[in-house]
Amino acid sequence: MGRYILRRLLQLIPVFFGTTLLIYVLVWLVPGDPFAGKCGDRACPPAYIEQMTHKYNLDQNIFVQYFLYLGKLFQGDFGQTYSGVDISTLIGQAYPITVRLAIIALIFEGVIGLAAGIITGLGRKRFVDNLVMISTLVLISLPVFVTGFIIQVVFGMDLGWMSVTVSSDAPWGELIAPGFVLASLSMAYVARLTRTSIKENKRADYVRTAIAKGQPQKRVIGIHLLRNSAIPVMTFLGQDLGALMGGAIVTEGVFNIKGIGGLVKQGIETKESMQVVGLVTILVLVFLVMNLIVDLLYAVLDPRIRYD
Amino acid sequence: MRVSRKGVLPALPLAAALVLAGCGGGAGKAEDGTVTLYGNDPQNPLIPSNTQESEGGKIVDAMWSGLLKYNPDTGKAENEMATSITPSEKNTVFDVKFKKGWKFQDGTEVKADNFIDAWNYAAYAPHAQNDAAFFSDIKGYKDVHPADEKAKPATDKMSGLQKVNDYEFRVTLSASNVTFKQKLGYNAFYPMPAQFFAAKDKDQWAKKPVGNGPFEFADYQPSVQTTLRRWDGYAGKDKPAVDKVEFKVYQSQDAAYRDLESGNLDFMEMVPPSALVEDKYQKDLDGRTLGGTVMSDQFLAIPQYRDPAWRNPDLVHGISMAIDRAQITKQIFNNARKPMDGFVPDSVPGSAPNACGQYCEYHPQQAKALVQRSGYRGTIPIQSNADGGHKEWIEAVVNSVNKALQGTGVSLRFDPVPTFQVLRQQQQSHQLTGMTRGTWNYDFPSPDSELAAQYETGGSSNFIDYSNPGFDAKLKQARAASTEQEAAADFGAAERLLTASMPHIPLWSEQGIAGYSDKIKSVKLNKLKRVADLSSIRLAK
């Protein structure tokens, strides 16, 4: 196991360099001078453009720029936005909020999604099964911004149970509704995935063997059936956590949450290339680590998988 | 079975969650005396002469006072710090006297040197200030800001600025200009405190800037909000009624609008398009709205360097008369735009009424005849980025023209460009292959702001290379006029010269539709910059 982890960690290095180089090149090499549109409907003064070009090393070869950027990155310097705000400050401010939102969403997915999946997978009640299938279908077919908008209008404006948007420090309580909205789609998938997985495995050979051996039903379901059925669900949740940690552009936009997704969107809209590169680099790291954790969890769940 | 019943109600935890959120929430409500306004992150460090976009402008304007201030009702510049600005007979020398005892927020007094040094700093090319061009009227500008910006300027002081005493200085222009005075309310002309010039790192200084206006800087949280406090040492007459203002950053206008409806946001200078549909905002906000033409207009520009046939006035007049402006402003913009009848919006003091005449009206029959007379046949592209709502109106214009000109062989086509930057680059490098769109936001309340920049030979935004000696001469004559009334007559004549050759097709001017919460009793809209006039905010008791 230890060697496997080490090998995976070493693999992260070329992946990190490859992706960040790609991002850097893609962001800075988009057509159009990044400062041509900075001054609204007027032309920017040439002296301003020249100064900014120099400040962001744009007068250098793109690869030289990239290595200059990396050099600073390894010293913990993510660079500055055009208005002189440290990008590390922005990340430090937004990341805790994104993590809180992701945890809440994951809890919704895990608790409600898994519960609904297990109940429908194991149970034989037609009504319950139909109810879960239909309600998940509704959630899957609704775009997130619609779900968000409905919750905002009904619970925020009509009933007044919650504030319409989330305040800037985003306490846990205010993130519950956005967390539900963010989780709604994945929650539905988790429920369906769990249900199908359990139904399939119920007829698997090892389950029949366990029953034939005369094991108590509790053990058959708890140890054999559920644990094995959890593998695809775990994969999904792991991937999803990676996505959640990357911020939720739509949900954050609807509720005005100051998370990572909003920063990425703002960076793209205002052409703050440095901000986009910095944020996406962080996202790459988060994704890589999340993937590693998910892979390791397989071994815990499935005794057949060995990493040595 | 007990278990299954719990699981079937995924809605229950949600309801519980929302009740919880309700208890934990309420943080969005501001305490008394605080007003929250819609805002965004400033795009440049908060130095007035480096600020030219609206978000930074909102903050800078609240923190500084200039010699003049733009009256929110008339849009005209009126004395703020100045006691008198006396022009010489020919409007070439302006003698500026201003109030004694007016202080910066660090306690130092505003003296003539604070103005002179600030203006010299802003104009000096190596400082790369965005607003440097505003000083180009002043004598000696070319010495501090050579046409070739890479060349080292001969000096860092403009010879046209002379101190008389601590509270009086003299501005000499390189040519007579009656409209110069109107510019003095713009943020580029604000005075700067001595500590700014002493600061080694100006961008660092701009993180906690010090001005001389009604509000002082309190806090800036990037991507969250900028907070300003009322400064009680403010010497001006319009003392603000609010204690604190917050410019809150929103990721979407719609989220901001819902906050406005529910009272978490107090002012939004432009309600989102979704609220304009069927005047929904009127009902939503219970009449707490403000309107009026803002000094901003939109147009189609025709590059004069491309196809000589496009310079034929008959063709351009015909196309212009085939655009049903009234219909498009109603259906696409829900009346948030108003058809133009000239090249200058009618909210600009001194604009000529109906300078474009019948050529900016919808007359499909005449349009056809004119286009046929021009002898041109072909499809003219309109180049623009498609985002930002531009695709919709450009397609409406294209449809309107193509329908009216059917059978003439002349048509328009929308030619999308990937991003706004690419469009700007094509415009600036003279590589347009068709018409393009443009917007002009006024910097100072005079037709000169738009006419000089867009149409004068070599004007700062004249990317279509329009050159008309007769027009240039009229503009010069207007600036050399002895009074603003005389100037207005000449500007009107200049506008009519534009109508004759039509380098731009005027489309519509912007109707500001602002909304405010029930916490505010009354507020005025600054027509020049489309922002709230902070001093005019009165709170509901």
Side-chain angles (χ1 to χ4, degrees):
Chain A
M1 195 68 154
R3 274 181 59 196
Y4 175 77
I5 295 178
L6 191 70
R7 207 167 67 225
R8 285 292 301 265
L9 285 176
L10 285 176
Q11 279 173 3
L12 291 189
I13 298 171
V15 175
F16 173 78
F17 280 104
T19 42
T20 48
L21 176 68
L22 259 181
I23 294 158
Y24 195 89
V25 172
L26 284 177
V27 168
W28 285 105
L29 276 192
V30 288
D33 183 343
F35 304 107
K38 278 307 276 183
C39 303
D41 289 294
R42 199 196 320 260
C44 288
Y48 170 81
I49 293 181
E50 202 193 332
Q51 198 189 49
M52 294 305 260
T53 307
H54 184 68
K55 191 175 166 191
Y56 289 92
N57 300 319
L58 295 184
D59 38 4
Q60 311 265 14
N61 176 299
I62 185 94
F63 295 102
V64 178
Q65 286 177 40
Y66 172 69
F67 283 108
L68 284 173
Y69 176 73
L70 270 191
K72 279 194 173 164
L73 196 64
F74 285 129
Q75 295 162 32
D77 180 5
F78 279 88
Q80 289 188 330
T81 64
Y82 299 139
S83 58
V85 176
D86 286 327
I87 289 159
S88 47
T89 318
L90 287 175
I91 295 174
Q93 214 172 261
Y95 228 102
I97 298 175
T98 291
V99 170
R100 280 204 288 272
L101 187 64
I103 290 174
I104 291 175
L106 199 70
I107 290 174
F108 272 114
E109 285 175 22
V111 175
I112 301 182
L114 271 181
I118 292 171
I119 288 155
T120 49
L122 291 177
R124 286 191 192 80
K125 281 257 172 194
R126 278 289 287 281
F127 171 72
V128 176
D129 198 48
N130 283 340
L131 187 73
V132 169
M133 291 308 274
I134 291 170
S135 62
T136 50
L137 186 67
V138 169
L139 285 181
I140 289 171
S141 42
L142 280 181
V144 172
F145 74 90
V146 175
T147 322
F149 181 73
I150 292 172
I151 288 194
Q152 205 175 28
V153 169
V154 172
F155 294 101
M157 289 166 66
D158 293 349
L159 296 173
W161 289 1
M162 55 175 232
S163 65
V164 178
T165 56
V166 171
S167 55
S168 56
D169 41 349
W172 287 94
E174 287 183 31
L175 288 176
I176 294 173
F180 177 81
V181 171
L182 182 57
S184 59
L185 190 64
S186 301
M187 191 168 80
Y189 280 128
V190 167
R192 289 179 158 228
L193 201 59
T194 316
R195 175 180 170 274
T196 320
S197 183
I198 291 176
K199 288 218 160 172
E200 260 175 28
N201 286 336
K202 254 198 233 159
R203 281 183 227 99
D205 291 344
Y206 63 84
V207 174
R208 213 175 318 132
T209 313
I211 296 171
K213 264 194 328 193
Q215 281 199 334
Q217 192 174 10
K218 223 179 177 178
R219 200 170 156 78
V220 174
I221 292 177
I223 303 294
H224 295 280
L225 181 57
L226 287 188
R227 192 164 144 185
N228 279 299
S229 306
I231 294 173
V233 180
M234 221 52 214
T235 318
F236 181 82
L237 282 179
Q239 295 269 327
D240 206 46
L241 187 63
L244 291 174
M245 289 290 183
I249 293 185
V250 176
T251 311
E252 286 181 12
V254 170
F255 291 97
N256 202 42
I257 300 167
K258 305 293 179 191
I260 289 289
L263 275 185
V264 174
K265 177 170 173 258
Q266 187 199 30
I268 294 170
E269 278 176 353
T270 56
K271 320 283 190 280
E272 287 277 8
S273 310
M274 214 48 145
Q275 185 174 328
V276 178
V277 174
L279 289 168
V280 180
T281 303
I282 292 269
L283 298 191
V284 167
L285 282 174
V286 169
F287 252 94
L288 291 177
V289 173
M290 287 296 162
N291 263 324
L292 179 61
I293 294 174
V294 172
D295 283 354
L296 294 180
L297 273 180
Y298 284 157
V300 177
L301 288 170
D302 189 342
R304 284 171 302 188
I305 299 173
R306 288 279 175 271
Y307 288 127
D308 271 318
Chain B
M1 251 213 271
R2 283 209 314 272
V3 184
S4 56
R5 198 164 293 154
K6 258 187 219 162
V8 296
L9 292 170
L12 257 187
L14 170 66
L18 291 165
V19 174
L20 268 177
C23 301
K29 273 268 178 263
E31 67 251 47
D32 263 342
T34 301
V35 174
T36 310
L37 295 95
Y38 178 79
N40 214 328
D41 286 305
Q43 292 191 11
N44 290 297
L46 292 170
I47 299 169
S49 58
N50 204 16
T51 300
Q52 94 298 40
E53 43 82 43
S54 57
E55 298 306 331
K58 285 179 191 171
I59 298 162
V60 165
D61 283 344
M63 286 187 55
W64 265 271
S65 288
L67 292 166
L68 302 177
K69 187 191 167 182
Y70 298 116
N71 182 317
D73 294 320
T74 62
K76 281 202 162 190
E78 290 172 357
N79 283 349
E80 169 87 342
M81 274 195 78
T83 48
S84 70
I85 298 176
T86 322
S88 65
E89 204 180 319
K90 284 251 165 92
N91 289 305
T92 47
V93 182
F94 289 80
D95 190 62
V96 178
K97 285 185 189 152
F98 58 92
K99 285 176 191 154
K100 280 182 197 177
W102 194 299
K103 290 211 165 71
F104 282 110
Q105 288 146 8
D106 64 356
T108 56
E109 198 181 355
V110 186
K111 293 184 174 165
D113 283 334
N114 295 104
F115 282 102
I116 295 172
D117 292 349
W119 297 7
N120 279 328
Y121 177 87
Y124 188 55
H127 290 148
Q129 298 292 292
N130 267 316
D131 293 335
F134 277 89
F135 301 91
S136 57
D137 298 319
I138 298 172
K139 201 172 155 195
Y141 175 76
K142 287 208 173 69
D143 301 329
V144 298
H145 203 115
D148 172 20
E149 298 210 356
K150 286 187 182 116
K152 185 150 173 54
T155 168
D156 58 359
K157 288 191 172 51
M158 291 184 279
S159 57
L161 295 178
Q162 280 149 339
K163 179 176 166 180
V164 177
N165 59 49
D166 274 350
Y167 309 99
E168 184 180 353
F169 63 102
R170 209 168 281 143
V171 187
T172 311
L173 306 184
S174 45
S176 50
N177 190 345
V178 69
T179 62
F180 177 74
K181 200 179 141 178
Q182 290 292 328
K183 297 187 186 181
L184 291 175
Y186 190 70
N187 52 267
F189 293 91
Y190 290 157
M192 295 299 278
Q195 53 159 274
F196 169 74
F197 303 106
K200 263 213 180 71
D201 185 348
K202 310 288 187 213
D203 291 354
Q204 197 61 37
W205 181 86
K207 286 187 176 164
K208 214 176 177 317
V210 165
N212 64 335
F215 290 91
E216 65 179 334
F217 186 82
D219 183 40
Y220 169 53
Q221 275 178 282
S223 92
V224 176
Q225 65 179 32
T226 309
T227 312
L228 304 178
R229 258 191 316 265
R230 183 178 63 202
W231 180 57
D232 290 322
Y234 173 62
K237 55 182 190 298
D238 280 341
K239 294 204 173 29
V242 295
D243 299 328
K244 218 160 100 184
V245 286
E246 295 171 345
F247 294 99
K248 197 170 168 188
V249 179
Y250 279 93
Q251 289 160 32
S252 86
Q253 284 193 349
D254 289 303
Y257 184 72
R258 288 194 284 278
D259 253 0
L260 181 69
E261 277 181 84
S262 55
N264 290 335
L265 179 71
D266 297 316
F267 185 86
M268 202 174 168
E269 63 269 23
M270 192 167 50
V271 303
S274 59
L276 292 171
V277 179
E278 289 172 352
D279 291 341
K280 181 175 169 288
Y281 68 96
Q282 294 281 18
K283 209 177 92 219
D284 288 345
L285 297 175
D286 205 7
R288 294 187 310 271
T289 59
L290 287 174
T293 314
V294 175
M295 294 185 210
S296 165
D297 63 284
Q298 207 159 35
F299 50 81
L300 291 176
I302 298 134
Q304 306 290 302
Y305 53 81
R306 189 57 59 199
D307 188 340
W310 296 353
R311 293 202 299 259
N312 184 340
D314 283 341
L315 175 69
V316 189
H317 286 156
I319 292 173
S320 175
M321 288 165 97
I323 301 171
D324 193 346
R325 292 173 180 75
Q327 185 82 357
I328 295 171
T329 49
K330 200 167 143 233
Q331 296 204 328
I332 305 280
F333 293 111
N334 289 296
N335 295 323
R337 301 283 186 284
K338 187 179 156 200
M340 291 275 277
D341 60 3
F343 292 81
V344 175
D346 50 17
S347 54
V348 176
S351 73
N354 204 15
C356 184
Q358 57 165 345
Y359 296 125
C360 288
E361 289 162 12
Y362 181 58
H363 296 300
Q365 290 310 319
Q366 272 172 275
K368 239 179 190 166
L370 279 170
V371 166
Q372 269 159 348
R373 200 169 75 191
S374 77
Y376 181 81
R377 292 178 80 84
T379 301
I380 306 174
I382 300 180
Q383 293 182 294
S384 166
N385 52 324
D387 53 346
H390 294 300
K391 178 174 173 251
E392 289 77 9
W393 72 258
I394 293 175
E395 284 186 339
V397 167
V398 169
N399 287 339
S400 173
V401 170
N402 290 355
K403 210 172 121 203
L405 298 184
Q406 213 164 26
T408 59
V410 174
S411 61
L412 298 184
R413 172 170 60 87
F414 175 37
D415 183 8
V417 170
T419 60
F420 178 57
Q421 279 118 309
V422 177
L423 182 70
R424 290 278 342 153
Q425 224 170 18
Q426 287 184 342
Q427 292 176 347
Q428 276 159 36
S429 55
H430 306 278
Q431 283 167 350
L432 290 168
T433 53
M435 293 190 196
T436 188
R437 66 165 183 93
T439 307
W440 186 256
N441 296 308
Y442 276 71
D443 300 312
F444 56 95
S446 162
D448 201 18
S449 171
E450 179 163 11
L451 298 181
Q454 307 247 47
Y455 309 104
E456 200 172 21
T457 308
S460 62
S461 290
N462 185 355
F463 56 78
I464 56 167
D465 280 353
Y466 178 69
S467 178
N468 178 346
F471 174 82
D472 292 354
K474 260 286 172 264
L475 273 196
K476 276 214 178 65
Q477 191 185 327
R479 291 185 201 123
S482 48
T483 66
E484 281 177 20
Q485 280 85 348
E486 272 177 48
D490 288 329
F491 283 129
E495 260 191 86
R496 280 187 287 279
L497 286 176
L498 289 179
T499 307
S501 55
M502 278 272 207
H504 282 187
I505 299 176
L507 294 172
W508 32 73
S509 57
E510 193 175 326
Q511 294 290 99
I513 297 178
Y516 52 96
S517 73
D518 51 10
K519 196 169 155 188
I520 292 178
K521 195 171 80 187
S522 68
V523 57
K524 284 173 183 166
L525 192 64
N526 181 329
K527 290 189 178 55
L528 187 63
K529 293 187 177 173
R530 198 183 57 211
V531 296
D533 183 77
L534 293 180
S535 311
S536 72
I537 297 178
R538 296 288 171 272
L539 296 173
K541 283 281 142 49

